């Protein structure tokens, strides 16, 4: 990538050079604030990774979740899991460590975050389309085949990876310092504008789709009779819609401030002081990756039950191992007792004693 990105540019330019040119300072030493940020960031990343692993395991473990909507939610958890990995990688390449990065490593760091966000956005859009299709057809679950869902998931990740690689493939400012942004000193301002507007438009489309769905469900629920089966079906649809809408709402709340700040930076708003809000927007966006698991836990009883089964699985295995070792201990004591009796018989030339028989009998009863 070096020959492609640096072709025609002055040689020996480093990450530090671009940061200083854009006005974004990097500390060369560790401050208490840096230690606190990295420690908290790594803690959140570990929570994100473990919680989304739990969500994916629950969806694939419970047969009740083997439907297109839950496969898409599992892919959303995969995107959040990948986001946790991306932020964990960022924690090990931030602060004073940033100066030591090569240009390729810096693009990799940013590309991982861009890919995870794009995957989440596209996945939420796929969920919105799936819910629109099923609810307007008066269905609880889509009739799409597993193969089609797999194709959609692969398409989501291909597009996400491509959008994450675009800056390193040429849409950057390595050869034009005037176009460099402030928050991402090697990204072109035009790319930030494109990326922010694209995601904000996607958010808007999803909000419109869900608003239309809610209005339709509300209208249909008023027309339904009071039959028990219809009421249960309506409650199930509404509960699932509420869960998905909460996920979308939290995503929009957590990511919109960051995208707005990126858009302002891309538009060259020097009075906006985007660097002042950068850290807060980053933390807010990172927190979104484990909010979904909390929503699953509180909104879905089956999901919550499956979570408990998975978490208790290791405890049950440990207790089974303990029980096995206890039986082994009892058998060992029994064998020692029998060996002791046999030795005493050998000492008495094989003549059994009443006491030996009593010990043998008591040992048999104990076993």
């Amino acid at each position: 990538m070096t020959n492609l990105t640096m072709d025609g540019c002055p040689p020996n330019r480093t990450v530090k050079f671009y940061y200083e040119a854009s006005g974004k300072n990097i500390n060369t030493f560790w401050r208490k604030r840096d230690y606190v940020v990295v420690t908290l960031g790594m803690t959140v990343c570990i929570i994100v990774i473990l919680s989304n692993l739990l969500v994916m395991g629950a969806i694939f473990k419970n047969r009740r979740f083997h439907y297109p909507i839950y496969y898409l939610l599992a892919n959303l958890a995969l995107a959040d899991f990948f986001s946790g990995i991306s932020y964990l990688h960022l924690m090990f390449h931030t602060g004073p460590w940033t100066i030591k990065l090569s240009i390729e490593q810096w693009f990799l760091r940013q590309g991982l975050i861009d890919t995870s966000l794009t995957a989440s956005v596209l996945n939420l859009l796929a969920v919105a389309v799936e819910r629109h299709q099923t609810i307007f057809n008066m269905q609880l679950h889509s009739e799409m085949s597993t193969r089609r869902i797999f194709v959609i998931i692969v398409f989501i990740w291909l597009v996400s990876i491509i959008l994450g690689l675009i800056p390193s493939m040429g849409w950057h400012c390595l050869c034009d310092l005037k176009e460099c942004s402030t928050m991402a000193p090697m990204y072109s301002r035009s790319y930030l504008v494109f990326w922010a507007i694209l995601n904000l438009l996607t958010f808007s489309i999803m909000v419109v789709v869900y608003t239309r769905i809610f209005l339709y469900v509300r209208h249909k629920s008023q027309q339904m009779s009071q039959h028990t089966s219809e009421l249960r079906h309506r409650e199930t649809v509404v509960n699932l819609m509420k869960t998905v809408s909460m996920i979308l709402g939290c995503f929009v709340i957590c990511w919109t401030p960051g995208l707005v700040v990126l858009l302002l930076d891309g538009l060259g708003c020097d009075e906006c002081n985007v660097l002042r809000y950068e850290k807060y927007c980053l933390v807010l966006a990172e927190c979104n990756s484990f909010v979904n698991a909390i929503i699953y836990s509180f909104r879905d009883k089956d999901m919550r039950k499956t979570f408990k089964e998975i978490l208790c699985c290791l405890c049950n295995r440990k207790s089974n191992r303990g029980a096995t070792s206890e039986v082994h201990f009892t058998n060992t004591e029994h064998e020692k007792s029998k060996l002791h009796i046999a030795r005493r018989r050998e000492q008495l030339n094989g003549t059994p004693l009443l006491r030996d028989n009593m010990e043998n009998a008591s040992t048999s009863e104990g076993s």
Side-chain angles (χ1 to χ4, degrees), residues 4 7 38 61 68 94 167 236 285 361:
L4 293 175
D7 187 22
V38 171
K61 179 180 184 297
T94 190
T236 303

Side-chain angles (χ1 to χ4, degrees), residues 127-261:
V127 170
V129 173
E130 191 274 347
R131 286 293 87 192
H132 185 277
Q133 177 186 358
T134 54
I135 290 177
F136 275 79
N137 291 331
M138 296 302 296
Q139 298 173 341
L140 178 60
H141 295 292
S142 173
E143 296 181 353
M144 285 191 296
S145 63
T146 305
R147 180 180 179 181
R148 180 174 295 181
I149 290 294
F150 177 76
V151 171
I152 292 175
I153 292 174
V154 172
F155 175 78
I156 288 173
W157 283 102
L158 283 177
V159 174
S160 302
I161 293 172
I162 291 173
L163 288 178
L165 290 175
I166 282 180
S168 62
M169 295 170 62
W171 201 345
H172 51 66
C173 65
L174 297 182
C175 300
D176 189 1
L177 297 180
K178 295 180 181 179
E179 290 296 322
C180 290
S181 67
T182 303
M183 292 179 60
M186 280 177 276
Y187 273 14
S188 175
R189 293 184 184 273
S190 58
Y191 175 76
L192 290 186
V193 173
F194 161 78
W195 198 68
I197 291 179
L198 181 63
N199 285 283
L200 290 173
L201 284 177
T202 306
F203 289 173
S204 302
I205 292 173
M206 287 187 286
V207 170
V208 171
V209 170
Y210 278 108
T211 302
R212 187 165 184 255
I213 292 174
F214 269 121
L215 293 176
Y216 179 81
V217 171
R218 181 182 178 182
H219 176 69
K220 282 295 181 181
S221 63
Q222 294 175 352
Q223 295 180 346
M224 284 183 177
S225 64
Q226 298 300 317
H227 291 169
T228 305
S229 59
E230 292 181 348
L231 284 175
R232 289 179 178 176
H233 177 80
R234 186 191 65 181
E235 290 177 359
T236 303
V237 172
V238 172
N239 287 334
L240 186 57
M241 276 300 306
K242 287 181 178 179
T243 301
V244 174
S245 300
M246 289 177 65
I247 293 173
L248 173 64
C250 291
F251 189 87
V252 172
I253 292 172
C254 292
W255 276 103
T256 300
L259 291 176
V260 170
V261 171

Side-chain angles (χ1 to χ4, degrees), residues 10-122:
N12 301 327
R13 284 184 174 179
T14 62
V15 172
K16 183 179 180 181
F17 170 82
Y18 288 100
Y19 270 69
E20 291 177 348
S22 65
K24 187 174 184 179
N25 297 325
I26 306 178
N27 295 319
T28 57
F29 59 92
W30 285 91
R31 301 171 299 175
K32 291 183 179 180
R33 179 185 176 185
D34 297 325
Y35 285 113
V36 172
V37 170
V38 171
T39 302
L40 291 177
M42 292 179 65
T43 303
V44 173
C45 290
I46 293 174
I47 296 175
V48 167
I49 293 171
L50 295 179
S51 60
N52 285 285
L53 279 176
L54 185 63
V55 172
M56 290 186 288
I59 291 176
F60 286 103
K61 179 180 184 297
N62 196 331
R63 291 181 177 272
R64 295 185 180 182
F65 302 140
H66 290 185
Y67 292 98
I69 179 63
Y70 287 105
Y71 288 143
L72 292 175
L73 292 178
N75 193 46
L76 178 61
L78 178 60
D80 289 334
F81 170 81
F82 184 70
S83 177
I85 298 294
S86 303
Y87 280 111
L88 188 63
H89 179 268
L90 175 63
M91 290 299 104
F92 284 104
H93 299 84
T94 190
W97 285 328
T98 306
I99 301 178
K100 300 179 181 179
L101 296 177
S102 64
I103 293 178
E104 290 80 5
Q105 290 174 332
W106 188 90
F107 273 108
L108 174 63
R109 188 189 75 173
Q110 301 301 123
L112 290 175
I113 298 176
D114 296 346
T115 300
S116 63
L117 172 62
T118 306
S120 298
V121 173
L122 292 179

